[in-house]
Amino acid sequence: MESVLDFLFAALPWISMGLPLALLCARGRKKRAQEEQTDNYGPEGMCLGMCFGTAIGTSLGNNTGLGISLGMLLGLAIGSGIRKEKHGDGGKQGGPDPGKHINR
């Protein structure tokens, strides 16, 4: 009986992490299929957060790895909350159309 309890105590953390992860993946796939995916500044926030986290972590003398990971987490949280504006030019952002400047 003690070996069964040892097995349960060893497997319980993996089960408690795997089951919610599977549920979140299935729920996310269903939600993504139902609605259009909106753009946000999540990746940009992660990059800036990683840079600022590294700078703050090294300047304060703390663990640099902790600064990087917390900076990425905070940058993703802030960047995901800001939505990108959709442009009326078919999704193209930036400069003019290169075909307009060709003299024929």
Side-chain angles (χ1 to χ4, degrees):
M1 186 68 181
E2 189 173 318
S3 62
V4 173
L5 286 176
D6 289 339
F7 175 75
L8 286 176
F9 285 132
L12 189 61
W14 293 102
I15 293 171
S16 65
M17 287 187 308
L19 191 62
L21 184 65
L23 291 173
L24 286 173
C25 290
R27 183 175 169 220
R29 178 172 280 186
K30 181 181 175 185
K31 186 177 181 181
R32 196 176 310 135
Q34 290 177 352
E35 64 184 35
E36 179 183 325
Q37 184 133 1
T38 58
D39 290 333
N40 57 25
Y41 288 103
E44 290 88 350
M46 282 178 51
C47 293
L48 289 174
M50 186 169 54
C51 294
F52 288 128
T54 304
I56 291 171
T58 54
S59 67
L60 295 178
N62 293 339
N63 189 359
T64 306
L66 184 64
I68 290 172
S69 60
L70 289 177
M72 283 178 61
L73 180 66
L74 188 62
L76 178 64
I78 293 171
S80 295
I82 303 171
R83 301 281 179 223
K84 286 186 180 179
E85 293 180 13
K86 293 193 177 192
H87 296 282
D89 58 355
K92 289 191 258 181
Q93 297 178 7
D97 186 17
K100 290 183 179 178
H101 298 290
I102 297 175
N103 294 328
R104 293 185 186 189

